[in-house]
């Protein structure tokens, strides 16, 4: 039986950026450039990279919140690449998103009860009928228990909660319709470290209890290592390495992955297993990326071929790596 929930093949998203005066044809910015990935039932896929590498754009394209420019996107075996917003509506209950900012993603004028139950009122059941008030109330009780909220929270407004509690409200809203897939876009980056741990543990518990597949987007490598079984590393819109999380973290094959892991703080007294690699220079502008390998302008292994030819993903020790000189 095919257990694939989501499959993206050569997905590309191009934005047109005009000059400051809003005139002219504008430049093309390839925020997502030829990304392919597969998410299976109950799997957590981590997407990591520096700010501006295209992680959030990829997440929005995967849920069709932003239409991809080219490529193919399949959800539960159905090609959804060219579906309109109206055609996507029956699929929306099966795919949900937890947004980065727990302050901006909740309507400040609505109570928590209304925020969480809105999806239940908007979407009909599988048989086409609407949910009764009793069904909605019963489901609300389940949801607040799942995410660790209490009944007295339901009558409050979002501004009365901490960042971690607001994120729990967003997660409860995403879970309301029993989705098969959740995309969590930097959902812990705005939270304190102690609260981050609570939300990460919550995601892991929900994945274990409900078997929901998740794409977890973050720039925090420690979070990605804890929560994901597969990790995808992005740089300037392209995937440079992907593979099983523990293997990728233990033996990164791409210089960029190695550099990211080198930046992770090591506890005092602990020995670093690899040589430390420090990146030099700034991230190139996505409007004018380097020729060939996009990482070559910051890579200590760069040679002439790196400027001439763009490396394709190929297998190295069970990982997929886009590098002419993998380690």
């Amino acid at each position: 039986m095919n257990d694939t929930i989501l499959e993206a093949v050569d997905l590309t998203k191009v934005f047109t950026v005009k000059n400051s005066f809003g005139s002219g044809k504008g430049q093309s910015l390839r925020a997502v450039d030829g990304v392919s990935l597969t998410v299976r039932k109950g799997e957590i896929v981590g997407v990591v990279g520096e700010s501006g590498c295209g992680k959030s754009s990829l997440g929005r394209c995967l849920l069709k919140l932003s239409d991809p420019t080219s490529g193919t996107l399949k959800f539960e075996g159905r090609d959804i690449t060219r579906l309109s917003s109206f055609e996507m509506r029956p699929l929306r209950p099966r795919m949900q998103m937890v947004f980065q900012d727990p302050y901006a993603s909740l309507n400040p004028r609505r109570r928590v009860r209304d925020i969480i139950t809105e999806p239940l009122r908007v979407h009909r059941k599988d048989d086409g009928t609407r949910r009764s008030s009793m069904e909605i109330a019963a489901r609300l009780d389940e949801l607040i228990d799942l995410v660790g909220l209490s009944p007295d929270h339901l009558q409050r407004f979002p501004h009365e909660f901490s960042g971690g509690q607001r994120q729990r409200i967003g997660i409860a809203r995403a879970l309301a319709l029993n989705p098969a897939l959740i995309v969590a876009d930097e959902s812990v980056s705005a939270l304190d470290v102690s609260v981050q741990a609570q939300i990460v543990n919550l995601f892991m518990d929900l994945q274990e209890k409900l078997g929901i597949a998740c794409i977890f987007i973050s720039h925090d490598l420690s979070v990605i290592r804890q929560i994901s079984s597969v990790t995808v590393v992005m740089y300037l819109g392209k995937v440079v390495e992907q593979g099983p999380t523990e293997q990728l973290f233990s033996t990164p094959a791409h210089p960029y992955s190695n550099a990211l892991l080198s930046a992770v703080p090591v506890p005092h007294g602990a020995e670093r297993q690899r040589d430390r690699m420090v990146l030099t220079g700034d991230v190139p502008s996505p409007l004018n990326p380097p020729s060939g390998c996009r990482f070559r302008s910051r890579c200590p292994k760069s040679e002439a071929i790196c400027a001439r030819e763009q490396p394709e993903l190929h297998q190295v020790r069970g990982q997929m790596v886009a590098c002419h000189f993998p380690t």
Side-chain angles (χ1 to χ4, degrees), residues 106 111-117 139-158 160-175 195 198-199 202 206 209:
L106 303 177
R111 298 182 188 274
V112 170
R113 174 186 298 276
D114 299 323
I115 290 172
I116 296 177
T117 58
R139 180 60 178 157
L140 180 61
D141 290 341
E142 293 177 7
L143 291 168
I144 62 172
D145 182 61
L146 270 175
V147 300
L149 295 173
S150 61
D152 64 306
H153 289 148
L154 297 177
Q155 292 303 114
R156 301 183 189 177
F157 291 93
E160 300 179 72
F161 294 92
S162 67
Q165 287 174 317
R166 293 187 201 194
Q167 202 60 284
R168 289 174 185 270
I169 295 168
I171 294 170
R173 178 178 60 184
L175 292 171
V195 182
Q198 295 173 17
I199 298 301
L202 174 60
L206 293 173
K209 290 178 183 176

Side-chain angles (χ1 to χ4, degrees), residues 7-243:
E7 182 180 12
V9 179
D10 201 23
L11 209 64
T12 299
K13 179 62 180 180
V14 180
F15 295 98
T16 299
V17 181
K18 294 190 176 182
N19 60 36
S20 56
F21 300 101
S23 59
K25 292 183 178 180
Q27 294 177 276
S28 294
L29 189 156
R30 301 178 75 87
V32 180
D33 193 358
V35 173
S36 298
L37 61 83
T38 299
V39 183
R40 294 179 173 83
K41 292 179 181 178
E43 184 176 58
I44 298 181
V45 176
V47 180
V48 68
E50 293 172 286
S51 296
C53 72
K55 304 187 300 295
S56 293
S57 294
L58 173 63
R60 295 182 69 86
C61 285
L62 292 175
L63 290 189
K64 286 275 289 177
L65 297 179
S66 179
D67 289 330
T69 304
S70 63
T72 303
L73 187 61
K74 291 184 178 181
F75 179 73
E76 294 185 325
R78 179 181 179 183
D79 190 335
I80 63 172
T81 315
R82 303 299 169 211
L83 295 187
S84 65
S85 298
F86 179 77
E87 292 170 321
M88 281 294 300
R89 183 161 180 169
L91 298 176
R92 289 296 177 202
R94 302 285 294 160
M95 48 169 64
Q96 294 289 313
M97 190 164 195
V98 178
F99 295 92
Q100 177 176 356
D101 189 348
Y103 298 88
S105 60
L106 303 177
N107 189 334
R109 300 189 179 193
R110 306 195 70 182
R111 298 182 188 274
V112 170
R113 174 186 298 276
D114 299 323
I115 290 172
I116 296 177
T117 58
E118 183 177 17
L120 298 168
R121 301 182 190 279
V122 170
H123 292 277
R124 296 174 182 265
K125 294 189 289 185
D126 293 339
D127 60 7
T129 61
R130 293 196 178 277
R131 294 171 177 84
S132 67
S133 297
M134 291 184 61
E135 288 176 315
I136 292 175
R139 180 60 178 157
L140 180 61
D141 290 341
E142 293 177 7
L143 291 168
I144 62 172
D145 182 61
L146 270 175
V147 300
L149 295 173
S150 61
D152 64 306
H153 289 148
L154 297 177
Q155 292 303 114
R156 301 183 189 177
F157 291 93
H159 73 270
E160 300 179 72
F161 294 92
S162 67
Q165 287 174 317
R166 293 187 201 194
Q167 202 60 284
R168 289 174 185 270
I169 295 168
I171 294 170
R173 178 178 60 184
L175 292 171
L177 296 169
N178 292 314
L181 173 70
I182 288 179
V183 174
D185 182 15
E186 296 278 12
S187 56
V188 297
S189 64
L191 307 177
D192 293 336
V193 174
S194 60
V195 182
Q196 284 185 11
Q198 295 173 17
I199 298 301
V200 168
N201 290 335
L202 174 60
F203 268 105
M204 295 175 70
D205 289 343
L206 293 173
Q207 188 273 335
E208 183 177 346
K209 290 178 183 176
L210 306 177
I212 298 173
C214 181
I215 299 172
F216 200 92
I217 298 170
S218 179
H219 62 268
D220 191 325
L221 290 162
S222 60
V223 170
I224 291 294
R225 185 169 194 172
Q226 180 182 354
I227 198 171
S228 66
S229 55
V230 176
T231 296
V232 177
V233 183
M234 292 185 67
Y235 185 78
L236 283 182
K238 297 190 76 69
V239 173
V240 296
E241 184 169 3
Q242 65 184 53

